[in-house]
Amino acid sequence: MTILICIPCLLTGGTEIQTLNLVQALVAGGHQVVTTCYFEYSDDMVVRFQKVGSEVVCLSSAGTRVNGWRGILFLYKGLRRVLKLYKPDVAHVQYMAPGAIPILLLRWLGVRQIITTAHTAAADIYPNLRLVHFIQRHCVRVFTCITELAERSFFGTSRLYNENTPLNKRNHFTIYNALPPGFSIVRENRSFVRPITIGVVSRLEEIKGMDLVVPAFAQVKKRYPDTRLVIVGDGSLRVKMQRQVQECDCTENVEWAGRQPQERLTEWYRRMDIVLMPSRSEGFGLTAIEAMANGCVVVVSRTGGLPEVVQDGEVGLLHEVGSIDDMANKIVSLIATPELLQKYSSEAIRYVRRYSFERYSQLFNDLYKRLITTKR
C-alpha cells in the first residue's frame, strides 16, 4: 500500500515527532510512505524522515509559507503533482491546517481514503467547528484525536480505537501518541534517596511554563537545600531563567544541559527523580510519558491532555496552571514522603505501557488495513 502523509511543516516539534512515529510504524508494516511537507522544513528533520524509510517531497523548495489565494493554488498544484507521481491508496493529513484546504483539495483531486489527525488538546483552537464537523462527516473516512478529551471537545463523544472497533463510512476515534521506537521502559523499580534531583526536558518557552520552574525550585530548596535541578533544553527563556537562578542564589544547585538529541534523553531521565511539566497549554505531553517510562515521578499542570495522560494521585501529581506555589507544594510533598515517590514510580512504569510504540504501530497498521479492505 502507498500512503501519502501530508504535513504543513517539518520542524522540530511534537507533531513532527509523532508523525515520524507514524511513518516508522507504517514502514515497519510493509507500506511505501511518501511524506509531503507544504511549507517550512529543516534539513535535519527531512533527513530523519528519509532515514526511517519515507520519501520526502517539500512543495516549497525555499521552505517558505504561501498564503491567501496564491497559497490555495500552490497547494493544489503541489498535491496534484504528488498524487500523479505516487498514486497513493490513502492520504493521512496531519493537522487540518491551513484551514482544512489540503483535505478539500485531496477530495477534489479524487482521493477517497483520507485520514486526518488533530494534534491538539481541544477544539478551541478551531474558530469554526461546523467546518470540522463537515470535514469529518463528508470528507474523511477517519478523524483521529490524540486524547479522548480532545475528541469529546470536537464531537461530544469519544472512543479509544482498537482492533474490534466498528469501522463505518465516517468515523472518529482516539489513538494515543506513543513513545518513540526503541525508547525502552525500565523494568526495575527506581530507588529514591536524597538528594532528590528535579528535572525538566522542554523547549524553554513561556507556553511550556519554563518561567515558573526556577521560582518553584527556589521554594523547594528552602525546605530541602540539597535538592538539585537539571534543565534539558533551550529556548528564548534561557537567559531569563539563568537570571532567576542567580537571583534565587541557586547557581550551585542547577545544571544546564542544553538541547539534547532524542537518543540521549534516556540517560538524562535516569538522572532525574521528579520531572516537571508546568505547561500553560499542552496537546498530549510526550515528555510526561518519556519520564514515566524511565520511572520518574511527574508533576504536571492541569491543562490540555495532561490530566488524561497523567492520572492524578496514581502515577503523578497535577498542579494548577501557572501556580508556582502549588507546584512547589506538590514537589515538597513528594520529597517529604519517599514511599509516595516509590509508589508513583512503580505505578507509572506499569501504566505507561499503554503508550508503547509497539501498540501504536499495531493500531495504525490495523486501521489502514481495514480502510482498504472495507472501502466505502
Side-chain angles (χ1 to χ4, degrees):
M1 186 191 312
T2 301
I3 298 165
L4 175 65
I5 305 292
C6 298
I7 189 168
C9 308
L10 278 181
L11 301 172
T12 307
T15 297
E16 289 89 339
I17 295 300
Q18 283 305 313
T19 304
L20 186 64
N21 274 0
L22 176 64
V23 168
Q24 289 182 267
L26 295 173
V27 170
H31 304 296
Q32 179 188 12
V33 180
V34 180
T35 302
T36 295
C37 169
Y38 321 141
F39 306 126
E40 302 91 344
Y41 63 89
S42 69
D43 292 336
D44 174 66
M45 188 57 75
V46 169
V47 169
R48 291 179 71 177
F49 273 71
Q50 291 170 333
K51 281 184 176 179
V52 301
S54 173
E55 294 190 52
V56 178
V57 178
C58 295
L59 298 187
S60 171
S61 58
T64 55
R65 189 165 291 259
V66 185
N67 297 312
W69 286 106
R70 288 180 60 247
I72 296 174
L73 183 61
F74 167 80
L75 284 173
Y76 172 76
K77 289 181 176 179
L79 290 174
R80 183 180 62 178
R81 185 172 68 250
V82 171
L83 293 176
K84 184 177 180 180
L85 181 61
Y86 293 101
K87 299 178 175 58
D89 301 287
V90 178
H92 193 148
V93 179
Q94 307 293 311
Y95 271 121
M96 296 195 302
I101 292 168
I103 297 172
L104 297 171
L105 290 177
L106 287 167
R107 286 288 291 175
W108 192 19
L109 289 164
V111 181
R112 293 293 174 262
Q113 301 287 65
I114 302 175
I115 304 175
T116 189
T117 298
H119 294 263
T120 57
D124 53 10
I125 74 162
Y126 292 99
N128 187 354
L129 271 185
R130 286 182 296 179
L131 175 60
V132 175
H133 294 160
F134 175 85
I135 291 293
Q136 189 270 320
R137 291 169 183 162
H138 302 289
C139 298
V140 302
R141 284 294 308 278
V142 180
F143 191 114
T144 70
C145 297
I146 57 176
T147 64
E148 288 196 89
L149 173 69
E151 187 184 358
R152 286 192 296 272
S153 75
F154 279 110
F155 307 113
T157 62
S158 66
R159 178 186 296 177
L160 283 174
Y161 178 79
N162 63 48
E163 297 85 345
N164 299 316
T165 303
L167 196 60
N168 302 312
K169 183 177 181 180
R170 306 295 176 200
N171 308 270
H172 58 80
F173 307 123
T174 292
I175 298 180
Y176 286 134
N177 284 346
L179 292 164
F183 203 102
S184 59
I185 300 172
V186 296
R187 300 187 180 209
E188 70 283 357
N189 289 332
R190 292 273 299 266
S191 59
F192 295 89
V193 294
R194 288 178 57 187
I196 292 295
T197 298
I198 299 168
V200 294
V201 179
S202 175
R203 289 184 290 117
L204 306 185
E205 304 294 344
E206 187 172 337
I207 195 170
K208 296 296 185 180
M210 290 298 106
D211 53 313
L212 311 174
V213 169
V214 174
F217 174 73
Q219 290 190 26
V220 174
K221 184 176 174 291
K222 288 179 181 178
R223 292 282 303 274
Y224 298 98
D226 56 355
T227 305
R228 297 191 58 78
L229 173 64
V230 175
I231 299 172
V232 176
D234 206 348
S236 64
L237 287 186
R238 177 167 181 147
V239 172
K240 177 178 180 177
M241 293 174 70
Q242 289 173 328
R243 189 182 309 117
Q244 289 175 325
V245 167
Q246 293 174 343
E247 292 170 351
C248 296
D249 194 25
C250 297
T251 304
E252 297 301 316
N253 297 70
V254 178
E255 179 178 355
W256 301 88
R259 186 178 288 113
Q260 295 291 322
Q262 181 71 44
E263 57 270 17
R264 291 202 58 197
L265 288 183
T266 292
E267 56 191 88
W268 287 99
Y269 282 120
R270 298 289 169 89
R271 293 179 53 189
M272 301 171 184
D273 300 301
I274 299 170
V275 171
L276 309 181
M277 210 173 168
S279 304
R280 291 182 169 90
S281 176
E282 196 71 53
F284 179 78
L286 178 60
T287 296
I289 63 173
E290 289 181 344
M292 288 190 285
N294 283 284
C296 305
V297 176
V298 292
V299 177
V300 305
S301 59
R302 196 184 300 274
T303 188
L306 287 173
E308 186 172 334
V309 173
V310 178
Q311 296 180 347
D312 190 30
E314 296 184 29
V315 300
L317 294 176
L318 302 179
H319 66 80
E320 295 307 312
V321 179
S323 175
I324 293 170
D325 291 343
D326 194 29
M327 177 168 36
N329 289 337
K330 294 289 171 41
I331 298 168
V332 166
S333 72
L334 290 170
I335 299 176
T337 319
E339 58 270 23
L340 203 54
L341 278 169
Q342 187 66 65
K343 174 190 172 187
Y344 290 160
S345 174
S346 299
E347 287 298 312
I349 293 169
R350 176 194 58 78
Y351 162 84
V352 79
R353 298 185 188 281
R354 70 184 64 189
Y355 303 112
S356 71
F357 175 77
E358 291 74 19
R359 180 59 178 157
Y360 173 89
S361 178
Q362 180 182 359
L363 291 174
F364 265 115
N365 276 292
D366 177 78
L367 176 58
Y368 274 92
K369 179 180 177 181
R370 294 173 67 195
L371 277 179
I372 294 302
T373 57
T374 60
K375 289 185 179 180
R376 299 279 180 141

mmCIF file of all heavy atoms in Angstrom, residues 188-222:
data_model
loop_
_atom_site.group_PDB
_atom_site.id
_atom_site.type_symbol
_atom_site.label_atom_id
_atom_site.label_comp_id
_atom_site.label_asym_id
_atom_site.label_seq_id
_atom_site.Cartn_x
_atom_site.Cartn_y
_atom_site.Cartn_z
ATOM 1 N N GLU A 188 13.087 -2.436 36.303
ATOM 2 C CA GLU A 188 13.299 -2.450 37.749
ATOM 3 C C GLU A 188 12.709 -1.197 38.391
ATOM 4 O O GLU A 188 12.600 -0.149 37.749
ATOM 5 C CB GLU A 188 14.794 -2.536 38.066
ATOM 6 C CG GLU A 188 15.605 -1.274 37.744
ATOM 7 C CD GLU A 188 15.904 -1.084 36.262
ATOM 8 O OE1 GLU A 188 15.537 -1.963 35.458
ATOM 9 O OE2 GLU A 188 16.488 -0.041 35.915
ATOM 10 N N ASN A 189 12.297 -1.305 39.638
ATOM 11 C CA ASN A 189 11.785 -0.159 40.371
ATOM 12 C C ASN A 189 12.926 0.796 40.717
ATOM 13 O O ASN A 189 14.042 0.363 41.021
ATOM 14 C CB ASN A 189 11.074 -0.606 41.654
ATOM 15 C CG ASN A 189 9.760 -1.304 41.349
ATOM 16 O OD1 ASN A 189 9.131 -1.028 40.341
ATOM 17 N ND2 ASN A 189 9.354 -2.223 42.217
ATOM 18 N N ARG A 190 12.624 2.057 40.648
ATOM 19 C CA ARG A 190 13.612 3.074 40.999
ATOM 20 C C ARG A 190 13.690 3.216 42.513
ATOM 21 O O ARG A 190 12.713 3.024 43.232
ATOM 22 C CB ARG A 190 13.211 4.417 40.399
ATOM 23 C CG ARG A 190 13.283 4.506 38.888
ATOM 24 C CD ARG A 190 14.660 4.916 38.413
ATOM 25 N NE ARG A 190 15.052 6.220 38.905
ATOM 26 C CZ ARG A 190 14.863 7.359 38.216
ATOM 27 N NH1 ARG A 190 14.284 7.341 37.039
ATOM 28 N NH2 ARG A 190 15.276 8.508 38.721
ATOM 29 N N SER A 191 14.879 3.573 43.005
ATOM 30 C CA SER A 191 15.016 3.899 44.424
ATOM 31 C C SER A 191 15.187 5.407 44.538
ATOM 32 O O SER A 191 15.820 6.041 43.680
ATOM 33 C CB SER A 191 16.221 3.184 45.036
ATOM 34 O OG SER A 191 17.411 3.546 44.355
ATOM 35 N N PHE A 192 14.618 5.981 45.586
ATOM 36 C CA PHE A 192 14.634 7.427 45.759
ATOM 37 C C PHE A 192 15.287 7.765 47.089
ATOM 38 O O PHE A 192 14.721 7.510 48.159
ATOM 39 C CB PHE A 192 13.215 7.988 45.707
ATOM 40 C CG PHE A 192 12.554 7.805 44.365
ATOM 41 C CD1 PHE A 192 11.827 6.661 44.087
ATOM 42 C CD2 PHE A 192 12.679 8.772 43.385
ATOM 43 C CE1 PHE A 192 11.225 6.486 42.851
ATOM 44 C CE2 PHE A 192 12.081 8.607 42.147
ATOM 45 C CZ PHE A 192 11.357 7.461 41.871
ATOM 46 N N VAL A 193 16.487 8.317 47.014
ATOM 47 C CA VAL A 193 17.198 8.745 48.214
ATOM 48 C C VAL A 193 17.656 10.181 48.002
ATOM 49 O O VAL A 193 17.906 10.613 46.876
ATOM 50 C CB VAL A 193 18.417 7.843 48.509
ATOM 51 C CG1 VAL A 193 17.965 6.430 48.861
ATOM 52 C CG2 VAL A 193 19.377 7.801 47.321
ATOM 53 N N ARG A 194 17.722 10.919 49.059
ATOM 54 C CA ARG A 194 18.180 12.291 48.964
ATOM 55 C C ARG A 194 19.685 12.327 48.726
ATOM 56 O O ARG A 194 20.402 11.442 49.189
ATOM 57 C CB ARG A 194 17.793 13.042 50.249
ATOM 58 C CG ARG A 194 16.299 13.314 50.331
ATOM 59 C CD ARG A 194 15.898 14.014 51.608
ATOM 60 N NE ARG A 194 16.626 15.282 51.769
ATOM 61 C CZ ARG A 194 16.562 16.016 52.874
ATOM 62 N NH1 ARG A 194 15.792 15.628 53.887
ATOM 63 N NH2 ARG A 194 17.235 17.127 52.965
ATOM 64 N N PRO A 195 20.177 13.325 47.985
ATOM 65 C CA PRO A 195 19.416 14.471 47.469
ATOM 66 C C PRO A 195 18.578 14.114 46.237
ATOM 67 O O PRO A 195 19.036 13.378 45.365
ATOM 68 C CB PRO A 195 20.500 15.479 47.117
ATOM 69 C CG PRO A 195 21.692 14.646 46.783
ATOM 70 C CD PRO A 195 21.632 13.465 47.698
ATOM 71 N N ILE A 196 17.384 14.658 46.195
ATOM 72 C CA ILE A 196 16.475 14.442 45.080
ATOM 73 C C ILE A 196 16.846 15.375 43.924
ATOM 74 O O ILE A 196 17.174 16.545 44.136
ATOM 75 C CB ILE A 196 15.019 14.697 45.523
ATOM 76 C CG1 ILE A 196 14.575 13.615 46.525
ATOM 77 C CG2 ILE A 196 14.069 14.735 44.324
ATOM 78 C CD1 ILE A 196 14.509 12.212 45.936
ATOM 79 N N THR A 197 16.767 14.849 42.713
ATOM 80 C CA THR A 197 17.026 15.655 41.523
ATOM 81 C C THR A 197 15.712 15.910 40.786
ATOM 82 O O THR A 197 14.995 14.972 40.432
ATOM 83 C CB THR A 197 18.020 14.954 40.578
ATOM 84 O OG1 THR A 197 19.275 14.797 41.251
ATOM 85 C CG2 THR A 197 18.226 15.776 39.305
ATOM 86 N N ILE A 198 15.415 17.187 40.585
ATOM 87 C CA ILE A 198 14.242 17.614 39.814
ATOM 88 C C ILE A 198 14.725 17.941 38.403
ATOM 89 O O ILE A 198 15.830 18.461 38.224
ATOM 90 C CB ILE A 198 13.592 18.849 40.460
ATOM 91 C CG1 ILE A 198 13.115 18.514 41.881
ATOM 92 C CG2 ILE A 198 12.440 19.381 39.616
ATOM 93 C CD1 ILE A 198 12.730 19.738 42.694
ATOM 94 N N GLY A 199 13.909 17.628 37.399
ATOM 95 C CA GLY A 199 14.334 17.893 36.037
ATOM 96 C C GLY A 199 13.235 18.441 35.160
ATOM 97 O O GLY A 199 12.041 18.257 35.438
ATOM 98 N N VAL A 200 13.640 19.126 34.100
ATOM 99 C CA VAL A 200 12.735 19.495 33.014
ATOM 100 C C VAL A 200 13.398 19.106 31.700
ATOM 101 O O VAL A 200 14.620 19.204 31.556
ATOM 102 C CB VAL A 200 12.366 21.004 33.004
ATOM 103 C CG1 VAL A 200 11.566 21.378 34.224
ATOM 104 C CG2 VAL A 200 13.606 21.874 32.877
ATOM 105 N N VAL A 201 12.586 18.625 30.779
ATOM 106 C CA VAL A 201 13.045 18.311 29.418
ATOM 107 C C VAL A 201 12.070 19.030 28.498
ATOM 108 O O VAL A 201 10.947 18.565 28.286
ATOM 109 C CB VAL A 201 13.045 16.794 29.153
ATOM 110 C CG1 VAL A 201 13.509 16.498 27.731
ATOM 111 C CG2 VAL A 201 13.917 16.071 30.169
ATOM 112 N N SER A 202 12.479 20.173 27.967
ATOM 113 C CA SER A 202 11.490 21.031 27.315
ATOM 114 C C SER A 202 12.159 22.125 26.501
ATOM 115 O O SER A 202 13.320 22.483 26.739
ATOM 116 C CB SER A 202 10.601 21.681 28.390
ATOM 117 O OG SER A 202 9.701 22.606 27.834
ATOM 118 N N ARG A 203 11.393 22.665 25.562
ATOM 119 C CA ARG A 203 11.752 23.964 25.000
ATOM 120 C C ARG A 203 11.586 24.995 26.117
ATOM 121 O O ARG A 203 10.595 24.961 26.857
ATOM 122 C CB ARG A 203 10.851 24.323 23.825
ATOM 123 C CG ARG A 203 11.089 23.488 22.578
ATOM 124 C CD ARG A 203 10.232 23.949 21.410
ATOM 125 N NE ARG A 203 8.825 23.658 21.601
ATOM 126 C CZ ARG A 203 7.858 24.548 21.695
ATOM 127 N NH1 ARG A 203 8.147 25.837 21.647
ATOM 128 N NH2 ARG A 203 6.598 24.186 21.840
ATOM 129 N N LEU A 204 12.519 25.890 26.234
ATOM 130 C CA LEU A 204 12.469 26.884 27.301
ATOM 131 C C LEU A 204 11.648 28.082 26.825
ATOM 132 O O LEU A 204 12.174 29.124 26.435
ATOM 133 C CB LEU A 204 13.883 27.301 27.710
ATOM 134 C CG LEU A 204 14.826 26.147 28.104
ATOM 135 C CD1 LEU A 204 16.156 26.692 28.611
ATOM 136 C CD2 LEU A 204 14.185 25.223 29.132
ATOM 137 N N GLU A 205 10.330 27.887 26.868
ATOM 138 C CA GLU A 205 9.398 28.882 26.365
ATOM 139 C C GLU A 205 8.286 29.109 27.377
ATOM 140 O O GLU A 205 7.994 28.252 28.209
ATOM 141 C CB GLU A 205 8.801 28.436 25.024
ATOM 142 C CG GLU A 205 9.815 28.121 23.936
ATOM 143 C CD GLU A 205 10.600 29.342 23.462
ATOM 144 O OE1 GLU A 205 10.159 30.478 23.746
ATOM 145 O OE2 GLU A 205 11.647 29.159 22.805
ATOM 146 N N GLU A 206 7.635 30.268 27.277
ATOM 147 C CA GLU A 206 6.574 30.627 28.220
ATOM 148 C C GLU A 206 5.395 29.671 28.130
ATOM 149 O O GLU A 206 4.801 29.309 29.147
ATOM 150 C CB GLU A 206 6.108 32.060 27.966
ATOM 151 C CG GLU A 206 5.128 32.570 29.017
ATOM 152 C CD GLU A 206 4.831 34.051 28.852
ATOM 153 O OE1 GLU A 206 5.655 34.766 28.253
ATOM 154 O OE2 GLU A 206 3.766 34.488 29.334
ATOM 155 N N ILE A 207 5.046 29.217 26.906
ATOM 156 C CA ILE A 207 3.903 28.317 26.772
ATOM 157 C C ILE A 207 4.161 26.999 27.491
ATOM 158 O O ILE A 207 3.225 26.320 27.917
ATOM 159 C CB ILE A 207 3.570 28.077 25.275
ATOM 160 C CG1 ILE A 207 2.179 27.451 25.150
ATOM 161 C CG2 ILE A 207 4.631 27.196 24.609
ATOM 162 C CD1 ILE A 207 1.655 27.396 23.734
ATOM 163 N N LYS A 208 5.438 26.668 27.676
ATOM 164 C CA LYS A 208 5.806 25.462 28.410
ATOM 165 C C LYS A 208 5.936 25.722 29.912
ATOM 166 O O LYS A 208 6.267 24.816 30.674
ATOM 167 C CB LYS A 208 7.123 24.899 27.875
ATOM 168 C CG LYS A 208 7.054 24.425 26.427
ATOM 169 C CD LYS A 208 6.109 23.250 26.266
ATOM 170 C CE LYS A 208 6.114 22.692 24.860
ATOM 171 N NZ LYS A 208 5.190 21.536 24.698
ATOM 172 N N GLY A 209 5.677 26.962 30.330
ATOM 173 C CA GLY A 209 5.726 27.292 31.756
ATOM 174 C C GLY A 209 7.122 27.316 32.337
ATOM 175 O O GLY A 209 7.298 27.223 33.556
ATOM 176 N N MET A 210 8.122 27.506 31.492
ATOM 177 C CA MET A 210 9.504 27.430 31.985
ATOM 178 C C MET A 210 9.893 28.598 32.879
ATOM 179 O O MET A 210 10.837 28.498 33.662
ATOM 180 C CB MET A 210 10.469 27.317 30.800
ATOM 181 C CG MET A 210 10.414 25.984 30.076
ATOM 182 S SD MET A 210 10.888 24.571 31.131
ATOM 183 C CE MET A 210 9.288 23.816 31.435
ATOM 184 N N ASP A 211 9.155 29.716 32.784
ATOM 185 C CA ASP A 211 9.440 30.844 33.670
ATOM 186 C C ASP A 211 9.028 30.552 35.114
ATOM 187 O O ASP A 211 9.405 31.281 36.034
ATOM 188 C CB ASP A 211 8.707 32.094 33.173
ATOM 189 C CG ASP A 211 7.217 31.852 32.962
ATOM 190 O OD1 ASP A 211 6.851 30.837 32.335
ATOM 191 O OD2 ASP A 211 6.405 32.680 33.422
ATOM 192 N N LEU A 212 8.284 29.461 35.336
ATOM 193 C CA LEU A 212 7.809 29.103 36.672
ATOM 194 C C LEU A 212 8.741 28.128 37.384
ATOM 195 O O LEU A 212 8.648 27.947 38.601
ATOM 196 C CB LEU A 212 6.416 28.450 36.568
ATOM 197 C CG LEU A 212 5.375 29.177 35.716
ATOM 198 C CD1 LEU A 212 4.116 28.333 35.586
ATOM 199 C CD2 LEU A 212 5.053 30.538 36.320
ATOM 200 N N VAL A 213 9.622 27.490 36.639
ATOM 201 C CA VAL A 213 10.403 26.371 37.176
ATOM 202 C C VAL A 213 11.364 26.822 38.267
ATOM 203 O O VAL A 213 11.389 26.261 39.371
ATOM 204 C CB VAL A 213 11.165 25.658 36.038
ATOM 205 C CG1 VAL A 213 12.181 24.670 36.612
ATOM 206 C CG2 VAL A 213 10.182 24.935 35.129
ATOM 207 N N VAL A 214 12.187 27.815 37.977
ATOM 208 C CA VAL A 214 13.212 28.228 38.944
ATOM 209 C C VAL A 214 12.588 28.806 40.221
ATOM 210 O O VAL A 214 13.019 28.453 41.334
ATOM 211 C CB VAL A 214 14.204 29.214 38.300
ATOM 212 C CG1 VAL A 214 15.185 29.748 39.349
ATOM 213 C CG2 VAL A 214 14.966 28.533 37.160
ATOM 214 N N PRO A 215 11.564 29.684 40.120
ATOM 215 C CA PRO A 215 10.942 30.154 41.368
ATOM 216 C C PRO A 215 10.359 29.016 42.209
ATOM 217 O O PRO A 215 10.448 29.045 43.445
ATOM 218 C CB PRO A 215 9.840 31.093 40.871
ATOM 219 C CG PRO A 215 10.333 31.591 39.552
ATOM 220 C CD PRO A 215 11.042 30.417 38.947
ATOM 221 N N ALA A 216 9.751 28.017 41.572
ATOM 222 C CA ALA A 216 9.229 26.876 42.331
ATOM 223 C C ALA A 216 10.375 26.084 42.958
ATOM 224 O O ALA A 216 10.304 25.667 44.123
ATOM 225 C CB ALA A 216 8.401 25.970 41.413
ATOM 226 N N PHE A 217 11.441 25.884 42.193
ATOM 227 C CA PHE A 217 12.598 25.169 42.725
ATOM 228 C C PHE A 217 13.201 25.900 43.923
ATOM 229 O O PHE A 217 13.606 25.272 44.913
ATOM 230 C CB PHE A 217 13.653 24.993 41.629
ATOM 231 C CG PHE A 217 14.936 24.400 42.124
ATOM 232 C CD1 PHE A 217 15.007 23.055 42.471
ATOM 233 C CD2 PHE A 217 16.083 25.177 42.255
ATOM 234 C CE1 PHE A 217 16.192 22.500 42.944
ATOM 235 C CE2 PHE A 217 17.259 24.637 42.717
ATOM 236 C CZ PHE A 217 17.322 23.294 43.067
ATOM 237 N N ALA A 218 13.238 27.238 43.850
ATOM 238 C CA ALA A 218 13.796 28.019 44.958
ATOM 239 C C ALA A 218 13.004 27.788 46.242
ATOM 240 O O ALA A 218 13.579 27.715 47.339
ATOM 241 C CB ALA A 218 13.811 29.502 44.594
ATOM 242 N N GLN A 219 11.670 27.676 46.119
ATOM 243 C CA GLN A 219 10.856 27.375 47.308
ATOM 244 C C GLN A 219 11.187 25.995 47.864
ATOM 245 O O GLN A 219 11.267 25.806 49.075
ATOM 246 C CB GLN A 219 9.370 27.461 46.951
ATOM 247 C CG GLN A 219 8.866 28.859 46.678
ATOM 248 C CD GLN A 219 7.349 28.908 46.571
ATOM 249 O OE1 GLN A 219 6.649 28.071 47.149
ATOM 250 N NE2 GLN A 219 6.830 29.885 45.842
ATOM 251 N N VAL A 220 11.358 25.025 46.971
ATOM 252 C CA VAL A 220 11.689 23.664 47.419
ATOM 253 C C VAL A 220 13.049 23.654 48.104
ATOM 254 O O VAL A 220 13.244 23.016 49.144
ATOM 255 C CB VAL A 220 11.682 22.690 46.219
ATOM 256 C CG1 VAL A 220 12.159 21.304 46.639
ATOM 257 C CG2 VAL A 220 10.284 22.607 45.605
ATOM 258 N N LYS A 221 13.996 24.387 47.548
ATOM 259 C CA LYS A 221 15.356 24.416 48.092
ATOM 260 C C LYS A 221 15.390 24.988 49.502
ATOM 261 O O LYS A 221 16.247 24.610 50.320
ATOM 262 C CB LYS A 221 16.253 25.230 47.158
ATOM 263 C CG LYS A 221 17.728 25.253 47.555
ATOM 264 C CD LYS A 221 18.529 26.000 46.509
ATOM 265 C CE LYS A 221 19.989 26.175 46.959
ATOM 266 N NZ LYS A 221 20.119 27.111 48.090
ATOM 267 N N LYS A 222 14.468 25.882 49.810
ATOM 268 C CA LYS A 222 14.420 26.415 51.177
ATOM 269 C C LYS A 222 14.114 25.312 52.176
ATOM 270 O O LYS A 222 14.600 25.335 53.315
ATOM 271 C CB LYS A 222 13.362 27.521 51.265
ATOM 272 C CG LYS A 222 13.758 28.814 50.563
ATOM 273 C CD LYS A 222 12.653 29.847 50.667
ATOM 274 C CE LYS A 222 13.035 31.140 49.929
ATOM 275 N NZ LYS A 222 11.940 32.137 49.985
#
